[in-house]
Amino acid sequence: MMQRWTLVLAMLASAAAAEPATVRVNSFPNAKALPLHAGVAQGIFAKHGLALQLSFTENSTKQREGLAAGEFDVVHSAVDNAVAMVETAKKDVVIVTGGDSGMNEFFVQADVRSFADLRGRKLVVDAPNTAYAIQAKKILLKHGLKDGTDYTVVPVGRGELRLKAMAGNRDYAAAVLNLPFTIQAEQLGMKSLGNTVDILGPYQANGAYALRAWVGSHGPLLERYIAAYVESLRWVRRLENETECVTILMDKLKIDRDVAERTYRLLVDPVRGFTPDAAFDTEGFRNLLALRAEIEGGSAPQPEKYLDLSYYRRAIGTLGK
């Protein structure tokens, strides 16, 4: 009897060990979420013993508040939001991966011929004091336009909502947009005044970050998550998977095939698309900190204050080339 009971316990322990670990991940519902969707669909996260509880945010303010409240474990979005959480909300947040340089363009209504035409108009943003809103303010400042004096900032939320606002109200004259919304804006007759990296220089945009306390108590789990994410990203960037990626984009973003195909090609562009292996761009991050200090005030801290890439390095070490 004792031997049988021991066997039952061993079987239960083995079954428990096989149960995938849940990681609660929050992101924006745009094209840059493709590796998350693909990793789930291809069983890559499951292969690493993970079950993704994936949710999407309306805007970065709600996303930051949700992370601070412990509603998510890992967040993928512009890492300037992590800096804002540390400096403004006084939350101990740490950035653990890179992702891309933004894939952002400064879009305007069809009647806008130059940045000067934005005087007296409205700029729509996600949140007014982080990330791409700061990029937009700096671009306008370079062209002699000051926030609150020469134009008005209107926070409306994520890229999809910024495009919707511009499509519904021509008084909303400009916004920074990324994929697939840049393509859709172009189809609506709006036009780009330039890529933000071309205008402002290198920029560390999207990345993954989490509360430092969670990271400290879930190190091995985080490493498995990063390894699975990078493997999913590698799968997305392999051109032989284009058809499946386009299908995912069409399904998840509710866009037509032409937009999805153009979006995919831009996502995997070696210069403007996803950064290979979600590597972190230190130069781009230094520029981010300097830009934030210029627009929001204060001095630019050292990048190390916000980073812990040791989990990333260990995760990459578990993956083959």
Side-chain angles (χ1 to χ4, degrees), residues 175-304:
V176 170
L177 299 175
N178 52 35
L179 296 168
F181 314 116
T182 48
I183 295 172
Q184 293 175 314
E186 181 185 284
Q187 291 178 332
L188 290 171
M190 301 174 199
K191 58 189 178 184
S192 171
L193 294 186
N195 181 286
T196 56
V197 171
D198 290 339
I199 299 170
L200 299 176
Y203 187 82
Q204 175 55 62
N206 210 54
Y209 54 94
L211 294 175
R212 194 181 294 269
W214 185 88
V215 169
S217 60
H218 294 81
L221 178 61
L222 177 61
E223 290 170 25
R224 282 161 54 200
Y225 173 77
I226 294 173
Y229 178 81
V230 170
E231 189 174 336
S232 300
L233 177 59
R234 289 179 179 181
W235 186 88
V236 164
R237 295 185 72 248
R238 287 199 289 272
L239 298 183
E240 63 264 29
N241 298 323
E242 176 176 358
T243 299
E244 290 167 278
C245 287
V246 166
T247 299
I248 292 171
L249 289 169
M250 292 172 62
D251 176 49
K252 299 300 182 181
L253 300 181
K254 308 306 177 189
I255 55 179
D256 62 36
R257 181 170 296 277
D258 175 62
V259 174
E261 289 175 346
R262 291 176 61 190
T263 296
Y264 176 76
R265 289 192 288 270
L266 291 169
L267 286 173
V268 299
D269 180 272
V271 176
R272 296 295 187 209
F274 286 122
T275 305
D277 286 358
F280 192 81
D281 179 3
T282 302
E283 180 188 3
F285 190 56
R286 288 185 185 277
N287 287 348
L288 178 158
L289 294 174
L291 178 60
R292 182 175 181 81
E294 178 185 357
I295 300 300
E296 292 297 306
S299 58
Q302 290 299 307
E304 292 75 20

Side-chain angles (χ1 to χ4, degrees), residues 65-131:
E65 291 172 349
L67 180 61
E71 296 173 10
F72 325 124
D73 300 321
V74 178
V75 159
H76 285 262
S77 72
V79 297
D80 184 83
N81 288 294
V83 176
M85 288 188 70
V86 173
E87 299 301 332
T88 304
K90 307 303 178 185
K91 299 296 182 181
D92 198 2
V93 172
V94 62
I95 301 165
V96 295
T97 78
D100 58 71
S101 62
M103 310 181 207
N104 290 325
E105 294 187 53
F106 194 105
F107 260 83
V108 296
Q109 296 285 7
D111 65 300
V112 177
R113 294 163 298 177
S114 68
F115 287 102
D117 289 344
L118 295 174
R119 190 177 301 275
R121 305 289 291 274
K122 293 178 180 178
L123 169 73
V124 291
V125 301
D126 174 11
N129 60 351
T130 60

